[in-house]
Amino acid sequence: MESSPENYTEVDNPECLTVEQAIANLKGEDQGLQYYAAWWLGRFRIREPEVIEALIAALDDEANRTELGGYPLRRNAARALGKLGDFRSVPALIACLDCSDFYVREAAVQSLGSLGDRTCIPELMKLLEGGLTVAQPIPGSPHLAQPYNLIIEVLGSLGASEAIDLIEPFLEHSVELLTYSAARAMYQLTQNSIYAERLVQALTGEKLLLRRAALSDLGAIGYLPAAKAIAQTSAENNLKLIALKGLLEHHVKDCSPESWSVSDTAIYLMNLMDNLL
Amino acid sequence: MISNTNALELIQAVEQADSTVSLLNAVKALANARLEAGIPTLIEVLSYNNPSPAIAAVIGLVQLGEVAVLPLLNLMDDYNYGGRAWAIRALAGIADPRALETLLEAAATDFAMSVRRAAARGLGNLSWSKMIPLEVNPAQKRVFTTLQITSQDSEWVVRYATAFALQGLGSSVEQSQPDLVGEIKAQLEQMLATDEDLAVRTRVQLALKQVEEIER
């Protein structure tokens, strides 16, 4: 059975914790409560300066460790800071890119991407050094040495054209998902449709997981010529709608931010969307 | 005319399919035969959590039309939101007003956004001519009240579907209830002014344009 990407936002119950309690828990001694509070403060977007400071401090936590040496509290703190959108957390998140725990690095890359601050570009580029030689599967590990797909996506969305030479080799990586991230970033950085067409091609592939990934990438880059292929690929309508929404918003932002008229292209995209509701 | 043996074979082919491709082909064959006896099987396929066969089953059920409405209402899988969303999509496609109560409830209260979205869409294009004339105006008012609720949904896609539905409702009531057209336009204008989502606002613009064109 394939899991369906439905959202269950209603399940999260904010009433079981108050802001004061969460902050107190984050600064407290109980590791379980600390871990939960870090997640909670991000989930409910508590942007108070006190919260930001406490989460930044939690990025240096040494107490909460897993058996394999991971840092669970640091992971949650890094994820939360990405949701809170405070640029003061950028230097501390950049420092996390050197953490020994893969999942801390992954969370930091993701959050730096959400924050959209270009100062992290040189540090992200360092993580791509060594190219494909370094980026090979590690026996017994569920992931590669670095969260390459996220690193490449963030470099693409930050417009880091200086990273093109480092990203390009990943188009040939043996992990298909990673080649999609590379194609997506290469399109964003060069606007050459040859890269976006690789993603369109992926919509006709055999594996649902890969078609879903290509949908998400095409939506993120807003590649208009993909509209029909998106509407026709075999995947959940939720995902097709999100991808077409990406195209629509890209188009509307590009053409006329102030005028109230709806272009023929926008109408075409919305007709495709209406049929998927 | 398809014989009973052939009907049974088509149904068995769906039940015995062991891959997505063979299931898809079997569902398509059963759908194309347009057999009333195949309706429960097509409805069951909606719960398999497999998009392409589900789409083929929805198309088949919509083609069958009115005869599929009561089975859909009775056999809908309340415990599988994926299946429920497809069933609501089929009901929305058939557009038979006997589904009104189910669509109203699903649009306003279902926990799954894919169900709320499909239900909101269905409310926008019901075949009102199939309803007893006296009941039409009050039913359309109830649809509008529910669409006011869904216009505040936390999911963008439900609000997007609401804009689509308000456009459809606006066109249906243009002759019979001019007051309601005014309320629909006011609702759309409010969405245009306040919705945080660019795609929703763009769809609202199109809806307003379409409703105003019909008025002229």
Side-chain angles (χ1 to χ4, degrees):
Chain A
M1 293 288 261
E2 272 142 349
S3 67
S4 187
E6 186 79 28
N7 286 332
Y8 288 99
T9 45
E10 290 96 329
V11 177
D12 302 321
N13 183 3
E15 285 158 13
C16 53
L17 209 58
T18 65
V19 174
E20 293 73 28
Q21 259 179 341
I23 296 173
N25 288 350
L26 182 62
K27 292 177 166 177
E29 299 290 315
D30 185 311
Q31 291 183 3
L33 292 180
Q34 268 186 312
Y35 179 79
Y36 182 73
W39 171 82
W40 190 93
L41 291 162
R43 166 67 181 82
F44 295 106
R45 306 286 196 278
I46 313 298
R47 295 194 168 90
E48 293 172 25
E50 195 184 0
V51 172
I52 305 293
E53 284 158 27
L55 287 170
I56 290 175
L59 293 178
D60 288 323
D61 172 74
E62 286 291 348
N64 193 339
R65 304 292 297 268
T66 67
E67 286 175 20
L68 295 172
Y71 293 94
L73 178 58
R74 292 191 193 188
R75 295 173 191 167
N76 266 6
R79 289 177 194 128
L81 286 165
K83 296 195 171 89
L84 299 182
D86 191 315
F87 290 106
R88 279 176 302 170
S89 56
V90 170
L93 287 168
I94 289 176
C96 286
L97 298 178
D98 291 325
C99 182
S100 57
D101 179 357
F102 172 90
Y103 298 103
V104 172
R105 298 198 299 279
E106 182 181 54
V109 174
Q110 180 124 51
S111 291
L112 286 166
S114 317
L115 288 164
D117 186 312
R118 294 176 53 92
T119 54
C120 66
I121 291 173
E123 304 300 320
L124 290 177
M125 285 170 64
K126 276 187 201 162
L127 299 183
L128 295 185
E129 279 170 11
L132 295 196
T133 321
V134 177
Q136 289 307 315
I138 306 161
S141 169
H143 52 71
L144 302 175
Q146 300 292 351
Y148 292 105
N149 52 344
L150 278 176
I151 295 166
I152 289 169
E153 278 173 26
V154 171
L155 287 168
S157 64
L158 290 176
S161 46
E162 59 267 50
I164 286 177
D165 290 343
L166 284 169
I167 293 170
E168 197 179 14
F170 285 87
L171 290 166
E172 307 306 326
H173 199 279
S174 57
V175 176
E176 267 170 300
L177 278 175
L178 197 39
T179 68
Y180 295 2
S181 302
R184 161 180 167 165
M186 288 299 287
Y187 175 74
Q188 286 173 313
L189 299 175
T190 66
Q191 294 297 308
N192 186 337
S193 61
I194 196 169
Y195 301 114
E197 287 299 330
R198 283 179 69 146
L199 296 168
V200 176
Q201 199 57 44
L203 292 178
T204 60
E206 293 236 323
K207 291 187 191 141
L208 178 58
L209 184 77
L210 295 178
R211 295 197 299 275
R212 285 174 178 163
L215 279 175
S216 153
D217 289 330
L218 286 163
I221 62 175
Y223 184 62
L224 274 179
K228 203 170 175 191
I230 289 171
Q232 289 177 345
T233 188
S234 170
E236 294 83 349
N237 284 9
N238 287 346
L239 298 184
K240 296 199 226 179
L241 282 162
I242 291 169
L244 289 169
K245 176 183 199 265
L247 268 52
L248 177 65
E249 294 189 338
H250 250 262
H251 169 72
V252 173
K253 274 181 199 154
D254 280 354
C255 63
S256 54
E258 296 308 317
S259 99
W260 286 119
S261 69
V262 185
S263 74
D264 287 347
T265 305
I267 292 174
Y268 170 72
L269 291 170
M270 289 189 279
N271 283 336
L272 292 175
M273 290 173 77
D274 291 350
N275 283 319
L276 295 166
L277 291 172
Chain B
M1 188 71 195
I2 291 178
S3 74
N4 285 335
T5 358
N6 280 339
L8 201 61
E9 275 171 18
L10 288 169
I11 291 167
Q12 278 176 346
V14 173
E15 285 165 353
Q16 290 164 4
D18 55 4
S19 70
T20 296
V21 176
S22 60
L23 178 63
L24 178 60
N25 290 333
V27 171
K28 278 184 178 166
L30 181 59
N32 287 336
R34 304 196 187 199
L35 295 170
E36 207 173 324
I39 291 173
T41 310
L42 290 175
I43 293 173
E44 210 186 310
V45 172
L46 305 180
S47 296
Y48 288 178
N49 205 4
N50 197 342
S52 5
I55 291 169
V58 168
I59 293 170
L61 288 162
V62 173
Q63 277 172 352
L64 281 156
E66 286 180 31
V67 289
V69 172
L70 291 180
L72 271 165
L73 292 173
N74 293 330
L75 296 176
M76 230 164 56
D77 187 344
D78 286 336
Y79 299 99
N80 174 328
Y81 63 74
R84 215 162 57 239
W86 291 114
I88 293 279
R89 271 175 66 80
L91 287 169
I94 298 168
D96 187 307
R98 280 176 294 172
L100 178 66
E101 299 300 328
T102 300
L103 294 176
L104 286 171
E105 194 189 331
T109 67
D110 203 283
F111 78 90
M113 61 135 160
S114 50
V115 176
R116 299 199 300 279
R117 166 191 98 207
R121 173 188 199 262
L123 288 172
N125 62 343
L126 287 171
S127 308
W128 296 108
S129 59
K130 289 182 188 162
M131 196 177 241
I132 300 166
L134 268 175
E135 290 181 355
V136 172
N137 283 7
Q140 288 170 332
K141 287 212 168 85
R142 288 177 67 209
V143 167
F144 178 63
T145 306
T146 298
L147 293 176
Q148 285 181 300
I149 296 168
T150 57
S151 75
Q152 304 290 319
D153 199 282
S154 60
E155 295 288 347
W156 75 271
V157 77
V158 179
R159 303 198 303 278
Y160 181 101
T162 302
F164 171 90
L166 285 168
Q167 177 186 317
L169 185 66
S171 320
S172 317
V173 302
E174 186 255 330
Q175 296 288 335
S176 53
Q177 303 193 74
D179 290 0
L180 192 50
V181 179
E183 287 188 65
I184 289 168
K185 276 167 63 184
Q187 181 69 36
L188 287 166
E189 270 153 15
Q190 193 193 334
M191 288 174 81
L192 186 58
T194 58
D195 202 288
E196 62 183 25
D197 198 285
L198 179 57
V200 173
R201 290 200 306 274
T202 311
R203 187 64 188 82
V204 167
Q205 273 180 271
L206 179 60
L208 269 170
K209 194 176 146 210
Q210 306 282 26
V211 172
E212 276 161 12
E213 266 172 24
I214 290 161
E215 273 189 307
R216 281 192 207 113

